[in-house]
Amino acid sequence: MKIIIAGAGEVGFHLAKLLSYEAQEITLIDTDKESLSYADNHLDIRVLKGDATSIEVLQDAKVESSDLVIGVTASETTNLTLCVLAKQLGSKKTIARISNTEFIDNKKLIKFEQLGIDELISPEELAATEIQLLLNQSAFNDTYEFEEGLLTMVGVFLPKSAPFVGKMVKEAANIFPELHFMPIALQRMGTQYTLIPRGDTVFKEGDQVYFITSKGGVDELYKLTGVEKRDIKNVMVLGGSKVGFKTARDLCANKFNVKLIEKNKDKAFDIADDLPNALVINGDGRNVELLEEESLDSMDAFIAVTGNSETNIMSCLMAKSKGIKKTIALVENMDYFQLSQSIGIDTLINKKLLAANNIFRYIRRGEVIALTRLNNLNAEILEFEVKSTSAVTGEIIRELDFPREAIIGGVIRDGKGIIALGDFKIQQGDKVVVCSLPKAIPRIEKLFL
């Protein structure tokens, strides 16, 4: 695919990096010479200095033959204008990064596709949504919903108390005869290798395991994994950033008791005016005495989303030392994902990774509806829509020429999530959730073309 990315900032560079690994033909546009020079020296891509809304620059980037144009500059106006121009000049698909979530909220009212903008993404909105999901499934350290929860992916570290530690997958499945979950990926403690579990795979203490579950299956997973289901009501948010504001807004709407701490006085007053149901405190969240005065120890969850990754990590560690059940830190450095469990923070989230996940489905072949990459694991979860021409149509799962490096986690049919076993027959119109290691993805895509 020919892909043009406008904006060599954090999101743009990270996207270009991931896509270059996929052997895509990437052109990166930015006005900043230094950012482009760094990208040019570290990635196998073409860089182009100039204004992304310049028709001359876009023609130089060969926009007329591009498959995808992605606007992820710091300017929302630039991104939207770029997409409109790119579509007029012949690009097949366009995506714009935005900060004003009103646009996303009113997509049905404003026909952005008619303007030439196929998709809108807000990394801040994605991060706030991720936090909300993590709090809803509080015992798990990673989560993702397909089709508004008809199927849900959850990730968990297996404690020693988990009933099936030491048992094979097929033995664990027998504990609950009415199976409502499927293990789809696993990483052994202390290793960087991702396994796709089979019937004879043995669960071990400390494994990071990802499951797909249907509605009602989450409660079974609480029992099976031995993790405690925690009710979360009182939440402290550190940082009045866009992510912090959106998180507090969403939590207030869902009847959580929210305290938000913001260092900047003017910003704190503005947030207090916009969020009357949240208690907004003007102060430095790194001050332990302040947090203790604000009853940190009575909180069920602590969410650190300031603009500084180290501040977020250290404050979460401090909150954990005070007995807080759930800690979530926003980090910019991808390398920190390796550290989350070993240092004791429940979950790290990264806006770049969330934005990349959202965009990645557009470069996959087949009718990909959703895609997510597992935190710190070398695997992808894709949701395909089965077409009449797909090789899987009318086939029984066990009879498919399915690579061992991939597994079908579940199927959505007629508005219902199903954990599909070997004797399940796939039909046209089904939405199939697949977990795959990178090397097997091309074979998987061919099955769903």
Side-chain angles (χ1 to χ4, degrees):
M1 287 179 75
K2 292 183 179 180
I3 302 171
I4 297 171
I5 301 172
E10 290 179 337
V11 175
F13 178 82
H14 182 65
L15 264 175
K17 181 179 177 181
L18 288 177
L19 293 170
S20 67
Y21 291 159
E22 300 269 329
Q24 308 293 341
E25 190 178 323
I26 310 296
T27 300
L28 182 63
I29 303 173
D30 202 287
T31 54
D32 185 65
K33 187 177 179 180
E34 195 174 319
S35 297
L36 286 178
S37 178
Y38 183 83
D40 194 25
N41 292 330
H42 289 80
L43 304 176
D44 182 20
I45 63 173
R46 181 191 177 203
V47 298
L48 195 58
K49 185 177 182 297
D51 182 353
T53 60
S54 162
I55 294 173
E56 187 179 339
V57 170
L58 289 174
Q59 287 175 332
D60 190 8
K62 296 183 172 54
V63 68
E64 69 280 356
S65 60
S66 65
D67 296 294
L68 178 62
V69 171
I70 306 167
V72 286
T73 72
S75 167
E76 181 179 85
T77 305
T78 297
N79 298 335
L80 293 170
T81 306
L82 162 69
C83 289
V84 172
L85 292 173
K87 204 57 177 274
Q88 290 284 320
L89 291 168
S91 179
K92 292 178 184 174
K93 193 170 282 287
T94 62
I95 301 173
R97 172 189 178 176
I98 60 166
S99 54
N100 183 358
T101 53
E102 266 193 325
F103 292 148
I104 292 176
D105 297 338
N106 292 285
K107 279 172 77 173
K108 290 182 180 177
L109 184 64
I110 308 297
K111 307 297 183 186
F112 286 97
E113 294 89 349
Q114 294 177 12
L115 299 174
I117 305 162
D118 294 309
E119 189 69 34
L120 298 169
I121 63 161
S122 164
E124 294 79 16
E125 185 75 22
L126 291 170
T129 301
E130 178 80 356
I131 291 168
Q132 179 82 42
L133 280 170
L134 287 164
L135 293 182
N136 289 341
Q137 311 291 354
S138 60
F140 301 113
N141 56 24
D142 197 1
T143 183
Y144 188 87
E145 287 189 349
F146 296 91
E147 304 296 318
E148 299 182 346
L150 294 179
L151 289 175
T152 302
M153 179 209 77
V154 293
V156 65
F157 282 94
L158 293 185
K160 190 175 182 179
S161 59
F164 57 69
V165 164
K167 293 183 171 63
M168 292 187 291
V169 170
K170 57 188 177 186
E171 292 174 325
N174 290 332
I175 297 175
F176 283 90
E178 292 185 10
L179 198 63
H180 294 116
F181 61 91
M182 173 80 74
I184 55 167
L186 181 152
Q187 187 180 77
R188 300 290 187 203
M189 184 169 63
T191 74
Q192 298 300 315
Y193 298 107
T194 302
L195 305 175
I196 299 298
R198 298 294 167 187
D200 57 356
T201 302
V202 177
F203 291 109
K204 296 181 180 179
E205 179 188 351
D207 283 350
Q208 165 77 353
V209 187
Y210 285 85
F211 296 90
I212 291 285
T213 178
S214 57
K215 283 192 172 179
V218 171
D219 288 335
E220 291 178 7
L221 279 174
Y222 278 117
K223 297 173 190 173
L224 268 176
T225 55
V227 295
E228 178 189 350
K229 185 173 183 178
R230 306 156 182 163
D231 289 325
I232 289 182
K233 197 66 184 170
N234 302 310
V235 181
M236 184 175 284
V237 179
L238 177 61
S241 61
K242 288 179 181 176
V243 176
F245 175 81
K246 289 175 173 41
T247 298
R249 178 200 64 190
D250 293 348
L251 292 176
C252 286
N254 285 287
K255 308 302 182 187
F256 286 83
N257 300 321
V258 179
K259 284 186 180 181
L260 187 147
I261 300 175
E262 169 53 45
K263 190 176 180 181
N264 182 286
K265 187 175 181 181
D266 292 336
K267 186 185 279 189
F269 275 102
D270 288 343
I271 293 171
D273 289 339
D274 292 334
L275 299 177
N277 293 326
L279 176 59
V280 181
I281 299 148
N282 174 220
D284 189 341
R286 295 171 297 184
N287 185 329
V288 178
E289 288 184 4
L290 171 68
L291 295 179
E292 288 178 340
E293 284 175 11
E294 296 303 330
S295 306
L296 174 64
D297 55 0
S298 69
M299 295 293 130
D300 301 312
F302 183 87
I303 302 164
V305 287
T306 72
N308 186 290
S309 300
E310 289 73 22
T311 296
N312 295 340
I313 289 171
M314 294 307 295
S315 57
C316 277
L317 289 175
M318 192 271 295
K320 205 70 179 174
S321 73
K322 300 295 182 182
I324 304 301
K325 299 173 186 174
K326 185 80 171 178
T327 53
I328 301 171
L330 179 71
V331 296
E332 295 301 326
N333 191 330
M334 299 290 291
D335 296 333
Y336 287 149
F337 275 100
Q338 308 284 346
L339 303 173
S340 60
Q341 185 66 15
S342 60
I343 61 178
I345 296 173
D346 292 310
T347 307
L348 300 180
I349 59 173
N350 179 281
K351 291 185 294 183
K352 293 177 287 188
L353 187 62
L354 292 170
N357 284 348
N358 204 270
I359 291 169
F360 241 77
R361 60 194 167 110
Y362 293 99
I363 69 157
R364 292 281 173 239
R365 297 167 67 209
E367 199 70 31
V368 179
I369 305 166
L371 180 152
T372 186
R373 287 187 161 210
L374 302 180
N375 284 351
N376 206 21
L377 267 72
N378 189 29
E380 287 184 19
I381 300 184
L382 304 101
E383 182 186 358
F384 291 97
E385 183 160 359
V386 179
K387 297 185 287 188
S388 59
T389 54
S390 302
V392 297
T393 305
E395 297 292 329
I396 293 171
I397 289 178
R398 70 161 64 92
E399 295 175 1
L400 288 171
D401 181 21
F402 216 74
R404 284 191 62 81
E405 299 85 7
I407 188 170
I408 292 177
V411 175
I412 295 169
R413 178 184 292 172
D414 299 329
K416 183 180 179 185
I418 304 163
I419 300 303
L421 302 180
D423 57 355
F424 187 88
K425 189 174 184 178
I426 297 173
Q427 298 177 4
Q428 179 183 347
D430 285 349
K431 294 172 182 176
V432 180
V433 175
V434 177
C435 181
S436 177
L437 302 185
K439 63 181 178 181
I441 286 175
R443 286 181 62 190
I444 297 295
E445 289 173 333
K446 287 179 183 176
L447 289 172
F448 289 92
L449 284 175

